[in-house]
Each structure stands twice: as structure tokens, then as C-alpha cells.
Amino acid sequence: MKKYIKDQIKKSFETKQAIYENENLINKIEEVSKLCVALYKGDKKTILAGNGGSAADAQHIAAELVGRYGFDRPSIPSLALTTDTSCLTAIGNDYGYDYVFSRQLEGMGQEGDIFIGISTSGNSKNIINAFISAKKKGITTVALVGRDGGEMAKMADIALVVPSDSTPRIQESHILIGHIICDIIEKEIFGDGVN
């Protein structure tokens, strides 16, 4: 069993090593971070959504911004579309599950916001529909995905594609990328910045 545990840890850091060595992906993480910093110097917000473990990641990243990430500072506006069970169940019941995020985005998204859709496959229909709604409203779209990026990577303004086919490794890497973005936002706006 110890060997199995070590193998799992090794697979996790091998995925992160692949991210570390992928200059194109690093450049895109930097681009998203800069867009978020610029957004937060104005009066806009980030909006996130995902399904299952990706829903938890959306909530986790939003909480790091609204609460705090590394140090005490004013709250940063961020919204996870996965948390309002009344909205989710009403929209799911009246319109179908494929529209639970797009409908919320229509109501709460504003031009200039950034929508981060999270999916390991990149093919979540409800996130794809949210991207369509975002485009109509002038909201920048970011796909945080894995595998080959799926349809979401093709639709997004920026696609952050984790180089893995393993759902657990992709999810572990999504939260790493989310933490890096939160860290940069916080330090650039309220700290001494990052080099």
C-alpha cells in the first residue's frame, strides 16, 4: 500500500512538472492573472462555475478572493454560481440543468467581468452555455480544463489546459492554478506585487 500511495504522489508532481515546463500554459496563467488584476482595479468581478469537484473548486477560488488568500486585506468581489440551491433547482426544474449557469450569468454578469468555467473534460454543456451567455454580455471567458481542452477550450478567450487525462490530477492542478492567480491578484493590488 505504501508503494501505491507514493505512486499517487509521484503522478501528482509529474503533472505539476509538466505544467512547470509548459511555457505556453505559464504565459496564459500570467495573462489571466493580469486580466484579473486590471479587472479588480475597476469595479468588476470574477464569476466561476463547475460541476462536482469543479463546483467545489469554483467555490474555493471565490472564497479565497472574497475572504483572504495570504494576508488580511479588503474583500475582492468574486461569485461562484454553484452555491445558490434555490437558483440551481429552480433553473434546473424550469429550463433544464444545461442552463443553470447561463441563466445566472445573464442576470448577474456585467460587461467587463471575467467568467472562469471549470471542467476536467472541457465538455460540460452547462459551462458551454454559460460561455455563450458571457460572449453576448461582453464578459471575458476563461476555460480551466484538462485533457485536450474539449469544446470549452475552443470557445474561451483564454484556455488553461492541464496536460493530463487523469481527473484527480487535473483537479489538483486546477486548484494550484487558482491559488497562483489568487496570490498574484492579492499581492498586485494590496501588497508589494510579484516579480
Side-chain angles (χ1 to χ4, degrees):
M1 189 177 287
K2 285 183 183 175
K3 181 183 182 309
Y4 180 81
I5 292 167
K6 286 185 174 183
D7 285 345
Q8 294 303 301
I9 295 167
K10 184 178 181 194
K11 288 175 183 175
S12 183
F13 71 68
E14 285 172 347
T15 302
K16 292 178 178 77
Q17 183 71 33
I19 294 169
Y20 180 82
E21 294 172 357
N22 187 328
E23 283 300 315
N24 183 47
L25 180 53
I26 299 298
N27 290 338
K28 288 183 178 184
I29 294 169
E30 180 182 23
E31 183 181 358
V32 170
S33 299
K34 287 179 176 179
L35 284 172
C36 288
V37 169
L39 164 134
Y40 284 129
K41 288 184 176 176
D43 62 349
K44 301 302 178 184
K45 63 189 170 297
T46 54
I47 304 170
L48 302 98
N51 297 286
S54 298
D57 290 343
Q59 293 166 211
H60 183 155
I61 295 165
E64 300 286 20
L65 294 168
V66 174
R68 71 175 196 152
Y69 179 74
F71 56 85
D72 289 328
R73 40 80 180 159
S75 182
I76 299 171
S78 188
L79 176 66
L81 301 180
T82 55
T83 59
D84 188 333
T85 54
S86 293
C87 269
L88 292 170
T89 55
I91 296 166
N93 186 61
D94 294 346
Y95 297 96
Y97 189 70
D98 288 349
Y99 302 96
V100 294
F101 301 135
S102 59
R103 188 78 176 160
Q104 290 185 75
L105 205 54
E106 287 172 22
M108 292 181 279
Q110 299 174 304
E111 184 176 352
D113 288 344
I114 293 175
F115 174 65
I116 302 172
I118 309 173
S119 169
T120 56
S121 69
N123 292 311
S124 298
K125 185 68 174 167
N126 53 15
I127 303 290
I128 289 168
N129 285 335
F131 277 6
I132 294 167
S133 291
K135 299 273 188 196
K136 290 177 183 174
K137 294 198 80 167
I139 296 170
T140 300
T141 55
V142 175
L144 187 53
V145 292
R147 298 185 173 86
D148 65 356
E151 288 302 310
M152 287 169 54
K154 296 172 190 170
M155 297 177 69
D157 294 308
I158 305 168
L160 306 177
V161 184
V162 172
S164 176
D165 291 324
S166 167
T167 296
R169 303 298 82 84
I170 295 165
Q171 290 176 331
E172 291 161 3
S173 299
H174 281 174
I175 208 61
L176 169 67
I177 292 167
H179 277 167
I180 291 167
I181 293 169
C182 290
D183 190 36
I184 291 170
I185 291 167
E186 193 173 73
K187 286 177 178 166
E188 286 289 312
I189 295 176
F190 299 107
D192 296 327
V194 295
N195 295 328

